[in-house]
Amino acid sequence: MTPRSAVRLAWGLWGLAVALVAAGLAVNPGLVVRGWEGALGLLSLVFLTVGAFLAGRRPGNAVGWLLLGWGMVMAFGSFAGAYVDRGLVRDPGSVPGPDWVAWAEGVVWHPAFGLLAFLLLLFPHGRLPSRRWRPFAWLTVAVYLSLSVSAACSPEAVRLYYPEAIPPVRLPIAGLDLFQQAARVAGGG
């Protein structure tokens, strides 16, 4: 990637995140101004600005890109919280697909914490401190990837954040219904 394209990409992601925060403000202004969505949007702008500056100046250093990624997830969380609150609580049926947005938010947070873990691992130089950290880095990837897949398949991931939402993805493996039924039969209950 050329330095010029890195700058464009970094500040383009910054603009996209600002648009997400603004969309959340437009969809549900009261919640964004008074709720945690507003704090999340403000924090995302801080992470995004620092990340865009670092990624534009040093495109080879992963720290700036990780800050951008974390800021994008927080901006999406700010938008999603406002959108789902309006679509399910304040004015049900006023916006399309709030259940899917709630599902996407539940799925996105797990890889986001993986980004945060890698930010701590790669700070300040953008690479692991030594080769001995590679197994831990791969373990981090495996853990957060499995958490993300399980959240995508589980209806409980949506209900955890939004109890009023109807989970759009209901797979039989999600709640391990077969194992729960077998345990009830084996236990006599």
Side-chain angles (χ1 to χ4, degrees):
M1 176 181 312
T2 66
R4 187 175 204 156
S5 62
V7 169
R8 286 182 181 161
L9 178 62
W11 289 103
L13 288 173
W14 182 88
L16 177 63
V18 168
L20 277 172
V21 172
L25 186 61
V27 166
N28 199 344
L31 184 68
V32 173
V33 170
R34 286 177 278 130
W36 65 268
E37 286 80 0
L40 204 56
L42 188 61
L43 268 174
S44 76
L45 294 178
V46 171
F47 274 86
L48 285 159
T49 304
V50 173
F53 180 76
L54 289 175
R57 295 283 179 156
R58 304 235 184 245
N61 190 332
V63 171
W65 298 107
L66 290 169
L67 287 170
L68 270 170
W70 182 247
M72 286 293 297
V73 170
M74 286 194 294
F76 178 73
S78 176
F79 166 73
Y83 189 89
V84 172
D85 183 71
R86 177 163 179 199
L88 293 177
V89 177
R90 296 190 191 273
D91 192 9
S94 63
V95 292
D99 296 323
W100 283 100
V101 175
W103 174 80
E105 184 183 11
V107 171
V108 154
W109 279 109
H110 296 293
F113 282 107
L115 291 175
L116 190 59
F118 268 95
L119 181 63
L120 296 173
L121 275 172
L122 301 177
F123 186 80
H125 302 294
R127 54 186 188 271
L128 293 171
S130 71
R131 294 177 61 119
R132 290 181 294 179
W133 285 88
R134 284 186 183 170
F136 184 73
W138 282 109
L139 177 67
T140 302
V141 169
V143 165
Y144 284 109
L145 184 62
S146 65
L147 284 172
S148 188
V149 168
S150 68
C153 297
S154 172
E156 296 305 317
V158 174
R159 288 190 196 120
L160 177 67
Y161 296 109
Y162 304 105
E164 59 278 339
I166 299 169
V169 177
R170 293 188 206 132
L171 299 177
I173 61 168
L176 299 175
D177 292 335
L178 296 175
F179 293 115
Q180 289 174 350
Q181 290 173 2
R184 275 192 226 115
V185 169

PDB file of all heavy atoms in Angstrom, residues 96-120:
ATOM      1  N   PRO A  96     -36.562  -0.528   9.717  1.00  0.00           N
ATOM      2  CA  PRO A  96     -36.526  -1.933   9.302  1.00  0.00           C
ATOM      3  C   PRO A  96     -35.357  -2.692   9.941  1.00  0.00           C
ATOM      4  O   PRO A  96     -34.258  -2.171  10.094  1.00  0.00           O
ATOM      5  CB  PRO A  96     -36.338  -1.841   7.790  1.00  0.00           C
ATOM      6  CG  PRO A  96     -35.661  -0.535   7.563  1.00  0.00           C
ATOM      7  CD  PRO A  96     -36.158   0.378   8.644  1.00  0.00           C
ATOM      8  N   GLY A  97     -35.618  -3.927  10.337  1.00  0.00           N
ATOM      9  CA  GLY A  97     -34.586  -4.855  10.759  1.00  0.00           C
ATOM     10  C   GLY A  97     -33.839  -4.565  12.044  1.00  0.00           C
ATOM     11  O   GLY A  97     -32.643  -4.832  12.115  1.00  0.00           O
ATOM     12  N   PRO A  98     -34.494  -4.080  13.096  1.00  0.00           N
ATOM     13  CA  PRO A  98     -33.732  -3.834  14.323  1.00  0.00           C
ATOM     14  C   PRO A  98     -33.191  -5.126  14.949  1.00  0.00           C
ATOM     15  O   PRO A  98     -32.157  -5.112  15.606  1.00  0.00           O
ATOM     16  CB  PRO A  98     -34.720  -3.134  15.247  1.00  0.00           C
ATOM     17  CG  PRO A  98     -36.056  -3.526  14.743  1.00  0.00           C
ATOM     18  CD  PRO A  98     -35.897  -3.714  13.267  1.00  0.00           C
ATOM     19  N   ASP A  99     -33.879  -6.247  14.727  1.00  0.00           N
ATOM     20  CA  ASP A  99     -33.388  -7.517  15.260  1.00  0.00           C
ATOM     21  C   ASP A  99     -32.059  -7.907  14.610  1.00  0.00           C
ATOM     22  O   ASP A  99     -31.158  -8.416  15.276  1.00  0.00           O
ATOM     23  CB  ASP A  99     -34.418  -8.632  15.031  1.00  0.00           C
ATOM     24  CG  ASP A  99     -35.709  -8.367  15.785  1.00  0.00           C
ATOM     25  OD1 ASP A  99     -35.627  -7.844  16.912  1.00  0.00           O
ATOM     26  OD2 ASP A  99     -36.779  -8.674  15.248  1.00  0.00           O
ATOM     27  N   TRP A 100     -31.939  -7.674  13.313  1.00  0.00           N
ATOM     28  CA  TRP A 100     -30.687  -7.992  12.612  1.00  0.00           C
ATOM     29  C   TRP A 100     -29.560  -7.073  13.043  1.00  0.00           C
ATOM     30  O   TRP A 100     -28.398  -7.496  13.162  1.00  0.00           O
ATOM     31  CB  TRP A 100     -30.876  -7.916  11.097  1.00  0.00           C
ATOM     32  CG  TRP A 100     -31.590  -9.113  10.571  1.00  0.00           C
ATOM     33  CD1 TRP A 100     -32.912  -9.197  10.245  1.00  0.00           C
ATOM     34  CD2 TRP A 100     -31.031 -10.408  10.345  1.00  0.00           C
ATOM     35  NE1 TRP A 100     -33.207 -10.467   9.813  1.00  0.00           N
ATOM     36  CE2 TRP A 100     -32.064 -11.233   9.869  1.00  0.00           C
ATOM     37  CE3 TRP A 100     -29.762 -10.949  10.500  1.00  0.00           C
ATOM     38  CZ2 TRP A 100     -31.870 -12.570   9.548  1.00  0.00           C
ATOM     39  CZ3 TRP A 100     -29.562 -12.280  10.181  1.00  0.00           C
ATOM     40  CH2 TRP A 100     -30.603 -13.071   9.711  1.00  0.00           C
ATOM     41  N   VAL A 101     -29.874  -5.811  13.296  1.00  0.00           N
ATOM     42  CA  VAL A 101     -28.845  -4.882  13.766  1.00  0.00           C
ATOM     43  C   VAL A 101     -28.400  -5.284  15.169  1.00  0.00           C
ATOM     44  O   VAL A 101     -27.211  -5.239  15.489  1.00  0.00           O
ATOM     45  CB  VAL A 101     -29.352  -3.430  13.716  1.00  0.00           C
ATOM     46  CG1 VAL A 101     -28.341  -2.469  14.319  1.00  0.00           C
ATOM     47  CG2 VAL A 101     -29.667  -3.031  12.281  1.00  0.00           C
ATOM     48  N   ALA A 102     -29.342  -5.707  16.013  1.00  0.00           N
ATOM     49  CA  ALA A 102     -28.989  -6.189  17.352  1.00  0.00           C
ATOM     50  C   ALA A 102     -28.095  -7.425  17.253  1.00  0.00           C
ATOM     51  O   ALA A 102     -27.124  -7.571  17.999  1.00  0.00           O
ATOM     52  CB  ALA A 102     -30.250  -6.502  18.148  1.00  0.00           C
ATOM     53  N   TRP A 103     -28.414  -8.320  16.321  1.00  0.00           N
ATOM     54  CA  TRP A 103     -27.592  -9.519  16.117  1.00  0.00           C
ATOM     55  C   TRP A 103     -26.181  -9.130  15.661  1.00  0.00           C
ATOM     56  O   TRP A 103     -25.196  -9.649  16.174  1.00  0.00           O
ATOM     57  CB  TRP A 103     -28.270 -10.429  15.083  1.00  0.00           C
ATOM     58  CG  TRP A 103     -27.459 -11.613  14.700  1.00  0.00           C
ATOM     59  CD1 TRP A 103     -27.332 -12.764  15.403  1.00  0.00           C
ATOM     60  CD2 TRP A 103     -26.668 -11.761  13.521  1.00  0.00           C
ATOM     61  NE1 TRP A 103     -26.498 -13.634  14.729  1.00  0.00           N
ATOM     62  CE2 TRP A 103     -26.081 -13.025  13.570  1.00  0.00           C
ATOM     63  CE3 TRP A 103     -26.400 -10.936  12.432  1.00  0.00           C
ATOM     64  CZ2 TRP A 103     -25.239 -13.499  12.577  1.00  0.00           C
ATOM     65  CZ3 TRP A 103     -25.570 -11.407  11.442  1.00  0.00           C
ATOM     66  CH2 TRP A 103     -25.000 -12.666  11.518  1.00  0.00           C
ATOM     67  N   ALA A 104     -26.096  -8.207  14.706  1.00  0.00           N
ATOM     68  CA  ALA A 104     -24.779  -7.783  14.207  1.00  0.00           C
ATOM     69  C   ALA A 104     -23.954  -7.148  15.316  1.00  0.00           C
ATOM     70  O   ALA A 104     -22.748  -7.385  15.414  1.00  0.00           O
ATOM     71  CB  ALA A 104     -24.951  -6.808  13.039  1.00  0.00           C
ATOM     72  N   GLU A 105     -24.593  -6.364  16.161  1.00  0.00           N
ATOM     73  CA  GLU A 105     -23.849  -5.753  17.257  1.00  0.00           C
ATOM     74  C   GLU A 105     -23.344  -6.807  18.239  1.00  0.00           C
ATOM     75  O   GLU A 105     -22.211  -6.745  18.711  1.00  0.00           O
ATOM     76  CB  GLU A 105     -24.709  -4.736  18.001  1.00  0.00           C
ATOM     77  CG  GLU A 105     -23.918  -4.024  19.081  1.00  0.00           C
ATOM     78  CD  GLU A 105     -24.747  -3.059  19.890  1.00  0.00           C
ATOM     79  OE1 GLU A 105     -25.981  -3.058  19.783  1.00  0.00           O
ATOM     80  OE2 GLU A 105     -24.133  -2.306  20.653  1.00  0.00           O
ATOM     81  N   GLY A 106     -24.172  -7.802  18.529  1.00  0.00           N
ATOM     82  CA  GLY A 106     -23.743  -8.878  19.424  1.00  0.00           C
ATOM     83  C   GLY A 106     -22.576  -9.673  18.868  1.00  0.00           C
ATOM     84  O   GLY A 106     -21.719 -10.145  19.606  1.00  0.00           O
ATOM     85  N   VAL A 107     -22.520  -9.815  17.551  1.00  0.00           N
ATOM     86  CA  VAL A 107     -21.450 -10.579  16.912  1.00  0.00           C
ATOM     87  C   VAL A 107     -20.164  -9.762  16.811  1.00  0.00           C
ATOM     88  O   VAL A 107     -19.063 -10.277  16.982  1.00  0.00           O
ATOM     89  CB  VAL A 107     -21.897 -11.064  15.510  1.00  0.00           C
ATOM     90  CG1 VAL A 107     -20.751 -11.667  14.743  1.00  0.00           C
ATOM     91  CG2 VAL A 107     -23.033 -12.061  15.644  1.00  0.00           C
ATOM     92  N   VAL A 108     -20.287  -8.483  16.555  1.00  0.00           N
ATOM     93  CA  VAL A 108     -19.120  -7.635  16.280  1.00  0.00           C
ATOM     94  C   VAL A 108     -18.260  -7.383  17.516  1.00  0.00           C
ATOM     95  O   VAL A 108     -17.051  -7.196  17.400  1.00  0.00           O
ATOM     96  CB  VAL A 108     -19.616  -6.307  15.652  1.00  0.00           C
ATOM     97  CG1 VAL A 108     -18.676  -5.168  15.883  1.00  0.00           C
ATOM     98  CG2 VAL A 108     -19.840  -6.500  14.175  1.00  0.00           C
ATOM     99  N   TRP A 109     -18.825  -7.404  18.706  1.00  0.00           N
ATOM    100  CA  TRP A 109     -18.045  -7.055  19.884  1.00  0.00           C
ATOM    101  C   TRP A 109     -16.932  -8.051  20.188  1.00  0.00           C
ATOM    102  O   TRP A 109     -15.898  -7.668  20.730  1.00  0.00           O
ATOM    103  CB  TRP A 109     -18.950  -6.874  21.103  1.00  0.00           C
ATOM    104  CG  TRP A 109     -19.575  -5.533  21.085  1.00  0.00           C
ATOM    105  CD1 TRP A 109     -20.887  -5.251  20.837  1.00  0.00           C
ATOM    106  CD2 TRP A 109     -18.926  -4.276  21.267  1.00  0.00           C
ATOM    107  NE1 TRP A 109     -21.091  -3.896  20.855  1.00  0.00           N
ATOM    108  CE2 TRP A 109     -19.899  -3.265  21.121  1.00  0.00           C
ATOM    109  CE3 TRP A 109     -17.625  -3.887  21.527  1.00  0.00           C
ATOM    110  CZ2 TRP A 109     -19.609  -1.919  21.246  1.00  0.00           C
ATOM    111  CZ3 TRP A 109     -17.341  -2.542  21.643  1.00  0.00           C
ATOM    112  CH2 TRP A 109     -18.326  -1.582  21.508  1.00  0.00           C
ATOM    113  N   HIS A 110     -17.113  -9.307  19.867  1.00  0.00           N
ATOM    114  CA  HIS A 110     -16.069 -10.283  20.184  1.00  0.00           C
ATOM    115  C   HIS A 110     -14.787 -10.060  19.392  1.00  0.00           C
ATOM    116  O   HIS A 110     -13.707  -9.992  19.988  1.00  0.00           O
ATOM    117  CB  HIS A 110     -16.598 -11.706  20.022  1.00  0.00           C
ATOM    118  CG  HIS A 110     -17.694 -12.008  20.987  1.00  0.00           C
ATOM    119  ND1 HIS A 110     -17.482 -12.091  22.344  1.00  0.00           N
ATOM    120  CD2 HIS A 110     -19.014 -12.210  20.811  1.00  0.00           C
ATOM    121  CE1 HIS A 110     -18.614 -12.339  22.958  1.00  0.00           C
ATOM    122  NE2 HIS A 110     -19.565 -12.419  22.047  1.00  0.00           N
ATOM    123  N   PRO A 111     -14.859  -9.919  18.068  1.00  0.00           N
ATOM    124  CA  PRO A 111     -13.610  -9.604  17.375  1.00  0.00           C
ATOM    125  C   PRO A 111     -13.051  -8.236  17.768  1.00  0.00           C
ATOM    126  O   PRO A 111     -11.847  -8.015  17.700  1.00  0.00           O
ATOM    127  CB  PRO A 111     -13.973  -9.635  15.890  1.00  0.00           C
ATOM    128  CG  PRO A 111     -15.379 -10.007  15.787  1.00  0.00           C
ATOM    129  CD  PRO A 111     -15.954 -10.167  17.153  1.00  0.00           C
ATOM    130  N   ALA A 112     -13.922  -7.342  18.213  1.00  0.00           N
ATOM    131  CA  ALA A 112     -13.437  -6.026  18.640  1.00  0.00           C
ATOM    132  C   ALA A 112     -12.533  -6.156  19.858  1.00  0.00           C
ATOM    133  O   ALA A 112     -11.493  -5.503  19.944  1.00  0.00           O
ATOM    134  CB  ALA A 112     -14.616  -5.118  18.949  1.00  0.00           C
ATOM    135  N   PHE A 113     -12.910  -7.005  20.788  1.00  0.00           N
ATOM    136  CA  PHE A 113     -12.037  -7.206  21.944  1.00  0.00           C
ATOM    137  C   PHE A 113     -10.761  -7.931  21.541  1.00  0.00           C
ATOM    138  O   PHE A 113      -9.720  -7.765  22.174  1.00  0.00           O
ATOM    139  CB  PHE A 113     -12.778  -7.930  23.065  1.00  0.00           C
ATOM    140  CG  PHE A 113     -13.677  -7.013  23.826  1.00  0.00           C
ATOM    141  CD1 PHE A 113     -15.046  -7.077  23.676  1.00  0.00           C
ATOM    142  CD2 PHE A 113     -13.145  -6.059  24.685  1.00  0.00           C
ATOM    143  CE1 PHE A 113     -15.868  -6.213  24.362  1.00  0.00           C
ATOM    144  CE2 PHE A 113     -13.961  -5.192  25.380  1.00  0.00           C
ATOM    145  CZ  PHE A 113     -15.328  -5.261  25.216  1.00  0.00           C
ATOM    146  N   GLY A 114     -10.826  -8.720  20.472  1.00  0.00           N
ATOM    147  CA  GLY A 114      -9.607  -9.298  19.904  1.00  0.00           C
ATOM    148  C   GLY A 114      -8.686  -8.206  19.375  1.00  0.00           C
ATOM    149  O   GLY A 114      -7.459  -8.277  19.535  1.00  0.00           O
ATOM    150  N   LEU A 115      -9.263  -7.184  18.737  1.00  0.00           N
ATOM    151  CA  LEU A 115      -8.462  -6.040  18.277  1.00  0.00           C
ATOM    152  C   LEU A 115      -7.793  -5.335  19.457  1.00  0.00           C
ATOM    153  O   LEU A 115      -6.626  -4.944  19.381  1.00  0.00           O
ATOM    154  CB  LEU A 115      -9.338  -5.038  17.522  1.00  0.00           C
ATOM    155  CG  LEU A 115      -9.892  -5.448  16.177  1.00  0.00           C
ATOM    156  CD1 LEU A 115     -10.829  -4.359  15.652  1.00  0.00           C
ATOM    157  CD2 LEU A 115      -8.788  -5.713  15.190  1.00  0.00           C
ATOM    158  N   LEU A 116      -8.536  -5.197  20.536  1.00  0.00           N
ATOM    159  CA  LEU A 116      -7.980  -4.552  21.722  1.00  0.00           C
ATOM    160  C   LEU A 116      -6.848  -5.392  22.307  1.00  0.00           C
ATOM    161  O   LEU A 116      -5.816  -4.850  22.729  1.00  0.00           O
ATOM    162  CB  LEU A 116      -9.078  -4.320  22.752  1.00  0.00           C
ATOM    163  CG  LEU A 116      -8.726  -3.459  23.950  1.00  0.00           C
ATOM    164  CD1 LEU A 116      -8.293  -2.076  23.513  1.00  0.00           C
ATOM    165  CD2 LEU A 116      -9.911  -3.364  24.887  1.00  0.00           C
ATOM    166  N   ALA A 117      -7.027  -6.712  22.331  1.00  0.00           N
ATOM    167  CA  ALA A 117      -5.961  -7.591  22.824  1.00  0.00           C
ATOM    168  C   ALA A 117      -4.712  -7.458  21.951  1.00  0.00           C
ATOM    169  O   ALA A 117      -3.588  -7.387  22.463  1.00  0.00           O
ATOM    170  CB  ALA A 117      -6.444  -9.038  22.850  1.00  0.00           C
ATOM    171  N   PHE A 118      -4.902  -7.406  20.634  1.00  0.00           N
ATOM    172  CA  PHE A 118      -3.755  -7.243  19.744  1.00  0.00           C
ATOM    173  C   PHE A 118      -3.133  -5.851  19.881  1.00  0.00           C
ATOM    174  O   PHE A 118      -1.928  -5.696  19.716  1.00  0.00           O
ATOM    175  CB  PHE A 118      -4.135  -7.524  18.289  1.00  0.00           C
ATOM    176  CG  PHE A 118      -3.900  -8.944  17.920  1.00  0.00           C
ATOM    177  CD1 PHE A 118      -4.920  -9.859  17.990  1.00  0.00           C
ATOM    178  CD2 PHE A 118      -2.643  -9.365  17.537  1.00  0.00           C
ATOM    179  CE1 PHE A 118      -4.702 -11.178  17.669  1.00  0.00           C
ATOM    180  CE2 PHE A 118      -2.409 -10.682  17.221  1.00  0.00           C
ATOM    181  CZ  PHE A 118      -3.438 -11.593  17.285  1.00  0.00           C
ATOM    182  N   LEU A 119      -3.933  -4.870  20.187  1.00  0.00           N
ATOM    183  CA  LEU A 119      -3.387  -3.540  20.420  1.00  0.00           C
ATOM    184  C   LEU A 119      -2.415  -3.573  21.601  1.00  0.00           C
ATOM    185  O   LEU A 119      -1.324  -3.005  21.537  1.00  0.00           O
ATOM    186  CB  LEU A 119      -4.524  -2.545  20.682  1.00  0.00           C
ATOM    187  CG  LEU A 119      -4.115  -1.105  20.927  1.00  0.00           C
ATOM    188  CD1 LEU A 119      -3.422  -0.527  19.704  1.00  0.00           C
ATOM    189  CD2 LEU A 119      -5.326  -0.279  21.285  1.00  0.00           C
ATOM    190  N   LEU A 120      -2.799  -4.275  22.652  1.00  0.00           N
ATOM    191  CA  LEU A 120      -1.912  -4.405  23.801  1.00  0.00           C
ATOM    192  C   LEU A 120      -0.678  -5.240  23.467  1.00  0.00           C
ATOM    193  O   LEU A 120       0.411  -4.967  23.959  1.00  0.00           O
ATOM    194  CB  LEU A 120      -2.672  -5.018  24.979  1.00  0.00           C
ATOM    195  CG  LEU A 120      -3.816  -4.181  25.532  1.00  0.00           C
ATOM    196  CD1 LEU A 120      -4.590  -4.950  26.579  1.00  0.00           C
ATOM    197  CD2 LEU A 120      -3.302  -2.869  26.090  1.00  0.00           C
TER     198      LEU A 120
END
